[in-house]
Amino acid sequence: MSASKDDGGRWERHSDILFGGLPYLLLFLSTALSLVHGPPPARRLLTTLGLAAVAAAWILGTYTLPTGRRSRQPYGTVRTAVYFAGLLALSAALMARDQVFTIFAATGFLQALVLLPTLWALVSVAATSFVVNTVPDGFPRATTGAVVGYLAAIVFQTVVIGWINLLSSRLNEQHQRRKRTVAELRSALAENAGLHAQLITQAREAGVLDERQRMAGEIHDTLAQGLAGIIRQLEAAEHAEGDREVWRRHLGAAKDLARDSLAEARRSVQALRPEQLESRTLPDALESLVESWSQEREPKVAFATTGTAIPLHAELEATLYRVAQEALTNIAKHARASKVGITLTYMEDVVVLDVLDDGVGFDPTAAAAEAGTSGGHGLGLVAMRRRLGRVAGTLDIESARGEGTAISAAVPVIPQEAGV
């Protein structure tokens, strides 16, 4: 896109330079042809060269310099009309000396097409046609055929060139509208990326509090209760020193509680940013997750990545990784599937994670109602939605009893460097 934009800008610059230099080019060409056509007497030659110099100075002083650059951009209807009037007067004076200066007079036809509004352009074209058809040979003889031919030539030139002017102005308007639309789209996309990055930052700040609350709840519900249980078992073991069998039983129970508490502690830590993403890309981390999952249980999981993978904002990658973990956990607990597939798709504005299985399926509405109950699907799905909601993502679930499950998680594309 940037290359085509540069090519378009370069073409416009070259076109503007050519258009701005066109009057000088036609004037020089007409003067050269006039000298080659037949050198006039010295006085007549000096007069012609003097008029040509005045014409060049007029163009320079009333057109080129006031625009600040050689450009086809208008600089005011009145000023342009004054410029045209002087241009036609000098063209008429030069054509009166040599018809070859009709080439220079054609400047009026060409510049009227883009420098003036439609009505003024038609007037300028008609005036130029009048000068071109009148000055070299004078007015026609007072016969019907001559007058009709003379007027027909002026009308034909005015209509045809005026129609070209109208078509050109419409095409130019469309071109300018497209440029404005493209510029607005680029601005909107940049603003949208900035808003998404800001949203991610706000979500991360809000997520800090959520994670603290989650950790506090887990410590209370698991670790604290586990440690309290260990203390009770050890205290009971102290009171049972005389009974070796009871002492061993309490000590074994304390060890089991300690192992369970350690496992819970590890699980709580893993619920933070996955360490698998610290040194790997998201596709590599997901592939490693799939391989590890498939080694421990059936069925084997098929994994694929489509599109061009790019590093995403860390919060987005962590969210998709956690969604994949939660989906596989649900499949292991509930699905009884024989086939599982995970696809990570990178598109222009979103990244989509699809997890499909051919298991027993479930009713998503009922699962949402049962969220938090023992053995229900709903709690994991609620966690997925909450995670995706924090990063402006979406979760779609398609399932029915006996028909398998398809989970699709989508997040916006925000590259790593866009993160705040």
Side-chain angles (χ1 to χ4, degrees), residues 49-398:
L49 293 176
L51 283 172
V54 171
W58 176 259
I59 297 169
L60 180 67
T62 60
Y63 169 62
T64 303
L65 293 180
T67 64
R69 66 186 187 282
R70 289 182 176 182
S71 172
R72 61 178 70 197
Q73 300 299 321
Y75 59 101
T77 301
V78 176
R79 289 185 178 182
T80 308
V82 171
Y83 161 68
F84 263 96
L87 182 70
L88 289 180
L90 290 166
S91 299
L94 287 167
M95 280 192 297
R97 309 189 70 77
D98 194 332
Q99 290 189 15
V100 76
F101 281 97
T102 303
I103 297 174
F104 171 61
T107 302
F109 289 129
L110 299 174
Q111 289 191 322
L113 298 177
V114 290
L115 291 180
L116 288 166
T118 303
L119 181 60
W120 281 92
L122 287 173
V123 172
S124 298
V125 168
T128 303
S129 180
F130 171 78
V131 169
V132 168
N133 286 280
T134 304
V135 173
D137 301 317
F139 288 100
R141 291 175 299 169
T143 62
T144 302
V147 172
V148 169
Y150 169 76
L151 294 176
I154 294 176
V155 170
F156 179 78
Q157 287 176 347
T158 302
V159 170
V160 171
I161 298 176
W163 179 80
I164 295 174
N165 167 60
L166 182 61
L167 179 61
S168 175
S169 65
R170 293 292 182 270
L171 292 175
N172 185 59
E173 288 175 3
Q174 290 181 359
H175 176 65
Q176 295 302 323
R177 279 198 299 269
R178 289 193 188 100
K179 287 178 63 176
R180 287 194 297 270
T181 301
V182 170
E184 290 171 358
L185 285 174
R186 288 198 183 108
S187 176
L189 287 174
E191 182 179 358
N192 192 42
L195 289 174
H196 272 304
Q198 184 179 1
L199 180 61
I200 294 297
T201 302
Q202 293 173 349
R204 182 168 50 190
E205 292 173 353
V208 170
L209 179 59
D210 289 344
E211 289 297 329
R212 287 175 180 169
Q213 293 173 343
R214 183 189 65 79
M215 291 292 290
E218 296 226 356
I219 290 173
H220 176 271
D221 295 338
T222 58
L223 300 182
Q225 293 181 14
L227 291 174
I230 292 171
I231 292 172
R232 286 194 299 269
Q233 293 299 327
L234 291 176
E235 289 175 344
E238 285 181 354
H239 291 94
E241 289 182 359
D243 188 339
R244 196 72 177 171
E245 185 66 29
V246 174
W247 180 82
R248 280 202 189 101
R249 187 171 67 249
H250 287 301
L251 190 60
K255 288 181 180 178
D256 291 338
L257 286 171
R259 291 191 186 96
D260 291 341
S261 297
L262 179 60
E264 289 294 335
R266 287 173 175 167
R267 189 185 64 79
S268 297
V269 170
Q270 288 174 352
L272 301 175
R273 172 164 171 81
E275 68 173 313
Q276 293 86 345
L277 290 173
E278 296 295 340
S279 58
R280 300 177 182 177
T281 64
L282 177 59
D284 290 342
L286 289 174
E287 186 172 7
S288 177
L289 172 66
V290 165
E291 290 177 356
S292 175
W293 195 88
S294 298
Q295 288 173 0
E296 298 175 1
R297 58 184 62 82
E298 293 290 342
K300 306 300 182 186
V301 180
F303 175 72
T305 301
T306 62
T308 302
I310 61 172
L312 298 177
H313 189 288
E315 202 76 14
L316 298 175
E317 292 193 340
T319 296
L320 290 176
Y321 186 85
R322 290 306 187 198
V323 167
Q325 276 187 319
E326 188 65 43
L328 288 176
T329 299
N330 284 344
I331 290 172
K333 288 181 178 179
H334 311 289
R336 300 200 295 274
S338 61
K339 294 180 182 178
V340 180
I342 297 180
T343 304
L344 182 65
T345 305
Y346 287 84
M347 290 182 274
E348 185 175 352
D349 54 352
V350 294
V351 177
V352 180
L353 177 74
D354 293 306
V355 183
L356 298 92
D357 69 74
D358 64 348
V360 297
F362 64 99
D363 183 349
T365 303
E370 297 170 2
T373 62
S374 177
H377 293 260
L379 191 58
L381 299 178
V382 169
M384 290 184 196
R385 289 192 188 280
R386 186 178 295 124
R387 283 187 178 277
L388 287 163
R390 289 175 187 165
V391 294
T394 60
L395 179 69
D396 293 322
I397 302 170
E398 294 183 8

